[in-house]
């Protein structure tokens, strides 16, 4: 799209907290810009992140977001969907 760029991140996720297997997928990430705008879903890359992670293990993969050229990324957010109390 015009006036947009594809921003790529390589991320590593470690399941340090949850006893049950943690399902991690690129589309559960959100990117928040410095002005508070949120970009969701991400785009599949060749090495897209989509894994089941047992406690103590990690997964690595790519996440891409289509953002406006003048956007300043601030925070990458992932919601596990699991209760944080473990």
């Amino acid at each position: 799209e015009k006036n947009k760029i594809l921003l790529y991140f390589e991320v590593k996720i470690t399941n340090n907290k949850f006893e049950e297997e943690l399902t991690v997928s690129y589309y559960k990430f959100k990117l928040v810009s410095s002005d508070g705008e949120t970009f969701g879903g991400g785009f599949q890359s060749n090495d897209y992140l989509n894994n089941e992670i047992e406690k103590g293990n990690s997964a690595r993969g790519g996440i891409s977001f289509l953002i406006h050229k003048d956007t300043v990324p601030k925070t990458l957010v992932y919601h596990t969907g699991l209760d944080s109390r473990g």
Side-chain angles (χ1 to χ4, degrees), residues 26 28-32 38-39 63 65 75-79:
Y26 67 96
K28 292 184 178 180
F29 283 84
K30 293 196 183 315
L31 180 66
V32 181
T38 301
F39 300 87
I63 304 164
F65 295 89
T75 307
L76 186 60
V77 178
Y78 182 78
H79 180 65

Side-chain angles (χ1 to χ4, degrees), residues 19-66:
E19 292 297 327
E20 62 253 52
E21 205 170 61
L22 178 63
T23 301
V24 179
S25 186
Y26 67 96
Y27 62 85
K28 292 184 178 180
F29 283 84
K30 293 196 183 315
L31 180 66
V32 181
S33 70
S34 60
D35 65 359
E37 186 174 4
T38 301
F39 300 87
F43 287 81
Q44 268 188 352
S45 57
N46 288 339
D47 64 342
Y48 69 92
L49 185 62
N50 192 23
N51 298 84
E52 304 285 330
I53 309 171
E54 294 182 10
K55 187 171 184 182
N57 291 329
S58 300
R60 184 182 303 265
I63 304 164
S64 299
F65 295 89
L66 188 63

